[in-house]
Amino acid sequence: MFFETLLLATGNRGKYEEFRAMLPDSFVGRLLFAPEVGALVVDETGDTYAVNAMLKARAWARASGLPSLADDSGLEVAALEWGPGVRSARIVEGTDEDRNRWLLGGMAGRKDRRARFVAALALSIPGAWTLVCEGDCPGRLAEHPSGEGGFGYDPLFLPDGFDVSFAALPAAVKNAISHRAAALRVLQELLSCEGSSGDSPHAVDV
Amino acid sequence: MFFETLLLATGNRGKYEEFRAMLPDSFVGRLLFAPEVGALVVDETGDTYAVNAMLKARAWARASGLPSLADDSGLEVAALEWGPGVRSARIVEGTDEDRNRWLLGGMAGRKDRRARFVAALALSIPGAWTLVCEGDCPGRLAEHPSGEGGFGYDPLFLPDGFDVSFAALPAAVKNAISHRAAALRVLQELLSCEGSSGDSPHAVDV
């Protein structure tokens, strides 16, 4: 399936740039940045990434008449009872730096630094269907922020297999291993009709 | 795509029987009725059919490990400001007959009897993806209930093109024209990779 035009339902420029780099030309022609299309406030009232991603994608699809892709994602930290999770972007008012400071404060003295990024992507076709996929990326938290790339908690997140943060990795590396990349693979597999039906042993493709 | 086993995430026997009749053998081998698999209470906290269908499908998929299909549907009545909608099954405590009496009471003296049934279906593959599709069936409300088939508000709903209620139509006819049938067609088209990407002029299949 190919989309001539796809709206990315986010006001986060970092997310937009990331998706622009990740989405292959064979899948999307032109990727629109939501604030350049219009103004729309979507209440993210869901308790899960999946519901919030769907709310955003459907609201933008309905308002614009365009196929719309939304992401809802968060950081889950073992020592913080796997929070802040779905509230990651809203747990502290302010900037990404403020939230990274809050996170380091909460981790002071903690030995268990396991963490994972989780993302849900929702692709909504106006009046037709919405597809929601999830992905994650396991890792651990650094003692100090590092790197200039990415956004959000990226400067503190060391993905498994690497000793540098998401923010310090080349974008192409992050975009190959990230939670968003994992979710996007499931979405593309399903839409490309390559026969994937997920990991379920109960689903068989014919 | 073919599912050897699919769980229908509903406690409503009428809905189960309807889906069993509608789902072709080429799509589903065995359709399980949720109460025969386990007990699970899902809070339908969404404001839309789509969110509620997704909440039910995902909760059952996660709990059972099985691909799960959920429906959330409602009746929208022009003279009742297009309600009761997403609250159709909960607007009055009691039986279907109680709710049909409530509806007739609310319609007393109303000339505009336009109504439509709307359904969202959510198909969730554990740990992989959830697909949500919607469909509707336009019609009008009868002055009196009739028919023995179907469930819910079926005895009062006269689908466009017919002078008898959903409850009085042969099941095969209802199942060809219903809101659930419309939603199921979109879902099957997408999963059969027949090239449908909905009605959007912006999506082109390759």
Side-chain angles (χ1 to χ4, degrees):
Chain A
M1 201 172 282
F2 171 69
F3 297 95
E4 282 179 32
T5 302
L6 182 68
L7 187 153
L8 193 72
T10 185
N12 181 331
R13 171 68 71 175
K15 233 181 234 188
Y16 172 77
E17 294 298 344
E18 204 167 288
F19 275 102
R20 215 166 59 143
M22 277 194 296
L23 292 167
D25 292 345
S26 60
F27 188 55
V28 176
R30 191 166 55 128
L31 187 68
L32 301 179
F33 185 40
E36 291 169 4
V37 174
L40 182 67
V41 176
V42 183
D43 285 336
E44 301 183 25
T45 53
D47 296 327
T48 60
Y49 309 108
V51 168
N52 284 334
M54 188 167 85
L55 289 173
K56 288 185 272 192
R58 279 170 51 92
W60 276 96
R62 172 173 294 204
S64 69
L66 293 167
S68 299
L69 180 68
D71 154 289
D72 198 66
S73 44
L75 180 68
E76 301 183 347
V77 179
L80 303 178
E81 295 177 341
W82 297 106
V86 75
R87 298 169 60 229
S88 293
R90 301 182 290 274
I91 191 81
V92 174
E93 291 271 343
T95 65
D96 284 348
E97 284 175 14
D98 294 328
R99 284 180 283 276
N100 279 313
R101 261 194 299 275
W102 165 84
L103 179 58
L104 276 183
M107 291 299 291
R110 307 275 194 161
K111 286 199 177 142
D112 183 355
R113 302 191 77 84
R114 288 174 300 145
R116 62 180 174 234
F117 268 124
V118 182
L121 300 187
L123 174 63
S124 189
I125 309 301
W129 49 262
T130 302
L131 175 61
V132 182
C133 300
E134 286 172 288
D136 63 17
C137 178
R140 63 208 184 283
L141 294 183
E143 301 279 350
H144 306 285
S146 65
E148 301 295 324
F151 58 93
Y153 297 99
D154 284 0
L156 287 176
F157 183 78
L158 312 175
D160 280 355
F162 294 84
D163 286 322
V164 296
S165 75
F166 255 5
L169 282 174
V173 175
K174 178 191 171 189
N175 290 343
I177 65 171
S178 76
H179 47 313
R180 273 186 275 276
L184 195 57
R185 270 193 293 275
V186 178
L187 191 142
Q188 286 184 279
E189 275 173 20
L190 185 64
L191 293 182
S192 71
C193 306
E194 282 170 5
S196 167
S197 57
D199 299 319
S200 166
H202 307 283
V204 180
D205 302 298
V206 291
Chain B
M1 200 171 282
F2 171 70
F3 297 94
E4 282 179 32
T5 302
L6 181 68
L7 187 153
L8 192 73
T10 185
N12 180 330
R13 172 69 72 176
K15 235 181 233 187
Y16 172 78
E17 295 298 344
E18 204 166 288
F19 276 102
R20 214 166 60 143
M22 276 192 297
L23 292 166
D25 292 346
S26 59
F27 187 57
V28 176
R30 192 166 52 129
L31 186 69
L32 301 179
F33 185 40
E36 291 169 4
V37 174
L40 182 67
V41 176
V42 183
D43 284 335
E44 300 181 27
T45 53
D47 296 326
T48 59
Y49 309 108
V51 169
N52 284 333
M54 188 166 85
L55 289 172
K56 288 185 271 190
R58 279 170 51 92
W60 276 97
R62 172 173 293 204
S64 69
L66 294 167
S68 299
L69 180 68
D71 155 288
D72 198 65
S73 44
L75 180 68
E76 300 183 348
V77 179
L80 303 178
E81 294 175 342
W82 297 105
V86 74
R87 299 169 61 227
S88 293
R90 302 182 290 275
I91 191 81
V92 175
E93 291 272 342
T95 65
D96 284 348
E97 283 176 13
D98 294 328
R99 283 180 284 276
N100 279 312
R101 260 194 300 273
W102 166 85
L103 179 58
L104 276 184
M107 291 299 290
R110 307 275 194 163
K111 286 200 178 143
D112 183 354
R113 302 191 76 85
R114 287 174 301 146
R116 61 181 174 234
F117 268 124
V118 182
L121 300 187
L123 174 62
S124 188
I125 308 301
W129 49 263
T130 302
L131 176 61
V132 182
C133 300
E134 287 173 287
D136 63 18
C137 178
R140 63 208 184 281
L141 294 183
E143 301 279 350
H144 306 285
S146 65
E148 302 295 323
F151 58 94
Y153 297 99
D154 283 0
L156 287 176
F157 183 77
L158 312 175
D160 279 355
F162 294 85
D163 286 321
V164 296
S165 75
F166 256 5
L169 282 174
V173 175
K174 178 190 171 190
N175 291 343
I177 64 170
S178 77
H179 47 314
R180 273 186 275 277
L184 194 58
R185 270 192 294 272
V186 178
L187 191 143
Q188 286 183 281
E189 274 173 21
L190 185 64
L191 293 181
S192 70
C193 306
E194 282 169 6
S196 168
S197 58
D199 299 320
S200 168
H202 306 283
V204 181
D205 302 298
V206 290

